[in-house]
């Protein structure tokens, strides 16, 4: 996985965490859910990249 992918996924996850926290603080359930969704999406992207990396390492 490229460094730019790692940074992008971490940034997306952090943004989601912030959205979720703001949603909780303000009682905005939609914002909270959107933040949770962003975090989940970032985690899934990381998992997919890790699988790709594992296959690349196996080809050596």
């Amino acid at each position: 996985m490229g460094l730019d992918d790692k940074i992008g996924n971490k940034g997306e996850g952090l943004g989601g965490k912030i959205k979720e926290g703001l949603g909780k603080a303000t009682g905005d359930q939609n914002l909270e859910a959107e933040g949770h969704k962003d975090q989940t999406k970032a985690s899934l992207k990381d998992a997919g990249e890790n699988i790709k990396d594992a296959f690349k390492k196996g080809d050596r």
Side-chain angles (χ1 to χ4, degrees), residues 12-40:
E12 186 173 6
L14 180 60
K17 191 174 271 297
I18 291 169
K19 278 184 188 177
E20 184 178 15
L22 285 172
K24 283 181 182 178
T26 61
D28 186 342
Q29 292 180 339
N30 289 331
L31 185 60
E32 185 178 346
E34 186 178 329
H36 184 68
K37 181 181 81 171
D38 289 349
Q39 290 176 70
T40 301

Side-chain angles (χ1 to χ4, degrees), residues 1 4-5 8 10-11 14 21-23 30 36 45-46 48 51:
M1 170 163 50
D4 56 333
D5 291 331
K10 294 297 179 193
L14 180 60
L22 285 172
N30 289 331
H36 184 68
K45 285 181 183 179
D46 273 341
I51 290 169

